[in-house]
Amino acid sequence: MSEKLNKILYIALSLLLAVLFWLYVDKTDGSRISDTYYNIPVEFIGETDVLAGRGLMLENGQDISITLRLSGPRTVLSNLKKEDIHIWANLTSIGAIGTFQLPYDIAYPDTINRSDISVESQSQFNVTVQVVELSNKTIPVSAEVMGEVAESYIYMSDLLVLEPSAITISGREEDIAPVESVRVVLDMSGASSTLERELEFQLLDKEGNEVSNEHIRVSDHRINVTAPVYLIKELKLSVRWAGSPGSSESDISYSIGPVDTITVAGEPASLETKDEIVLGEIDLSEYVEGTALDFDINIPANCVNISGITTATVSFRFKSGLDTRLFTITDITTRGVDENHRCRLVTTSLDVVLRGPSEDMERLTEEDVRVVVDLTDFNSDGTHRVEPLILVDGFDNVGAVGPYIVTCRVSSK
């Protein structure tokens, strides 16, 4: 068994050495092959930056290709593909228009030792390029909108955003001259929210026909489009009423004109919880008679006024069954004076207008009315003008009309 095992090991080792020797010979001693790589495109260094920065461009040459016949070790060329080979021509030395002969460099993948490969032949030794003057033209981008948005929604065309808003095209003057407009096409069919799209654009001539020219270069290839789609909603106009007994909302009749609703449009998130627009607050206790007040209509944030009405008038009058009377009140007291100060009333009597139901007003006397001055926030030496509380004892539906002022002199003890 030992002799047989030794024989097997000897044969395996011999085969391994033979393979290694063959690989070595194949790589170093002439086991080379040749292969042809057809139509490798020439790539240009400095075309879009250096050359364009000098107001120049290639009129031809972009489609130049080179065919190479290469030789090298079988292990190298058998894995080398056409896509792995790059041919570079440098344009950075060109500074004027004209025809130029340029050498080129051949680049292989980093995994290949350049010295292992030889160029047996090449379809041409230089590349010929024609350089002409570069012309530029900047054209605004417009949008063609197709389709209808969903019911109860509106496309806000005046808020459309196109980014970039203009495209710069470059090329020979005769190539770019026909281009008159840049257009994107946006389909709004069934939209119920703002659309954000990245769209390709078309170059059009003055008749609206698409201009297709591979020699025209563009500054951008796509347009970012934001097309606002707003919800339409009718909101009620309302007023907050403030007052006191005899001057509350239940004591008046009112109307809002010229309309009491307004139509607005806005992002759904801004409007979904909105049902009304509050014009403002009216304190009825400040008015003896009814009147009409004008208010600006403040549209909710991120919304627009579809109706076009910007102001509203609130007209109100007090209902019948209410009377007003003037009382001269001498029962004026103070409160809230701290222990370090004392107060002397400068105002010793106050004419007060009261409003309430007729039957209550007939029974009301000056003895039922008190004026209370709260000086909690006025504990400092000096003369202070303070708005007092007007209290009517025993008549819950009677209250004062109009603001009043009582003058007090506060001093330290």
Side-chain angles (χ1 to χ4, degrees):
M1 289 297 294
S2 175
E3 183 179 349
K4 185 176 181 179
L5 179 61
N6 288 337
K7 186 175 182 180
I8 292 173
L9 292 174
Y10 176 77
I11 293 173
L13 180 60
S14 298
L15 289 173
L16 176 61
L17 290 174
V19 170
L20 293 174
F21 180 74
W22 180 84
L23 290 174
Y24 172 77
V25 170
D26 185 62
K27 184 173 179 65
T28 62
D29 129 5
S31 285
R32 298 170 67 85
I33 63 172
S34 297
D35 203 353
T36 301
Y37 298 85
Y38 295 94
N39 300 321
I40 303 170
V42 176
E43 302 172 62
F44 292 96
I45 299 173
E47 179 183 6
T48 59
D49 46 9
V50 177
L51 207 61
R54 295 168 180 167
L56 302 172
M57 63 169 287
L58 288 182
E59 182 177 31
N60 57 19
Q62 293 92 337
D63 56 352
I64 297 176
S65 62
I66 305 293
T67 296
L68 300 175
R69 183 164 182 79
L70 306 178
S71 67
R74 182 186 306 274
T75 54
V76 175
L77 289 193
S78 61
N79 294 317
L80 183 64
K81 299 180 177 58
K82 170 186 171 181
E83 294 75 18
D84 299 327
I85 305 172
H86 293 275
I87 296 179
W88 299 97
N90 195 329
L91 302 172
T92 58
S93 62
I94 298 177
I97 63 174
T99 302
F100 300 89
Q101 296 281 334
L102 300 176
Y104 57 82
D105 293 321
I106 303 171
Y108 305 106
D110 293 338
T111 56
I112 293 178
N113 189 341
R114 187 182 180 91
S115 63
D116 288 342
I117 298 179
S118 299
V119 179
E120 291 187 354
S121 65
Q122 52 208 103
S123 58
Q124 56 192 77
F125 292 93
N126 294 292
V127 295
T128 301
V129 296
Q130 182 75 28
V131 176
V132 297
E133 185 177 357
L134 175 69
S135 296
N136 297 302
K137 191 176 184 179
T138 299
I139 307 173
V141 180
S142 62
E144 178 182 340
V145 177
M146 304 174 59
E148 296 291 333
V149 298
E151 187 177 356
S152 300
Y153 288 83
I154 183 174
Y155 160 54
M156 305 298 295
S157 59
D158 56 320
L159 300 179
L160 174 70
V161 176
L162 302 173
E163 182 60 41
S165 60
I167 294 294
T168 298
I169 60 174
S170 305
R172 296 183 307 173
E173 177 61 30
E174 57 265 36
D175 289 331
I176 68 173
V179 180
E180 293 290 336
S181 62
V182 178
R183 180 183 67 189
V184 294
V185 178
L186 178 64
D187 187 359
M188 304 288 291
S189 300
S192 59
S193 62
T194 294
L195 296 184
E196 296 183 359
R197 298 284 189 271
E198 187 179 66
L199 301 176
E200 295 181 349
F201 58 84
Q202 299 171 313
L203 303 179
L204 306 177
D205 61 20
K206 62 181 179 180
E207 282 81 28
N209 301 314
E210 184 172 4
V211 177
S212 180
N213 189 324
E214 62 182 7
H215 298 298
I216 297 178
R217 303 174 190 173
V218 294
S219 57
D220 297 88
H221 293 279
R222 299 177 75 84
I223 303 296
N224 293 310
V225 179
T226 302
V229 176
Y230 283 1
L231 172 66
I232 300 174
K233 194 170 184 179
E234 189 174 51
L235 301 180
K236 181 182 178 181
L237 300 180
S238 65
V239 179
R240 284 195 299 264
W241 300 100
S244 59
S247 300
S248 63
E249 183 179 354
S250 62
D251 295 318
I252 63 166
S253 59
Y254 71 95
S255 64
I256 299 176
V259 294
D260 59 3
T261 61
I262 190 169
T263 303
V264 301
E267 292 285 359
S270 299
L271 278 179
E272 57 187 9
T273 59
K274 289 280 188 181
D275 294 308
E276 66 176 0
I277 295 176
V278 179
L279 297 172
E281 182 176 272
I282 299 176
D283 188 346
L284 293 171
S285 66
E286 296 180 358
Y287 298 91
V288 177
E289 302 291 341
T291 187
L293 302 174
D294 293 328
F295 291 89
D296 291 330
I297 300 175
N298 295 314
I299 304 301
N302 302 317
C303 296
V304 295
N305 187 336
I306 298 296
S307 296
I309 299 173
T310 59
T311 61
T313 301
V314 180
S315 302
F316 64 91
R317 62 183 180 84
F318 290 93
K319 296 177 180 178
S320 60
L322 294 175
D323 285 342
T324 58
R325 287 179 56 192
L326 177 65
F327 294 84
T328 299
I329 309 302
T330 57
D331 184 3
I332 303 176
T333 60
T334 62
R335 69 184 184 191
V337 181
D338 65 31
E339 59 184 9
N340 298 317
H341 292 86
R342 56 176 171 265
C343 174
R344 182 173 69 84
L345 290 170
V346 177
T347 303
T348 57
S349 68
L350 192 65
D351 290 336
V352 177
V353 176
L354 299 177
R355 179 168 50 222
S358 300
E359 58 272 20
D360 288 342
M361 298 302 292
E362 290 178 359
R363 297 185 294 113
L364 188 66
T365 65
E366 293 177 353
E367 286 73 20
D368 299 315
V369 183
R370 294 181 292 122
V371 177
V372 179
V373 183
D374 190 344
L375 294 170
T376 302
D377 297 326
F378 297 91
N379 280 288
S380 60
D381 291 358
T383 300
H384 304 287
R385 291 169 54 80
V386 184
E387 185 175 345
L389 301 173
I390 310 297
L391 304 178
V392 182
D393 298 326
F395 295 88
D396 295 338
N397 295 321
V398 177
V401 178
Y404 298 93
I405 295 295
V406 171
T407 302
C408 306
R409 184 171 291 119
V410 176
S411 59
S412 300
K413 292 182 177 179

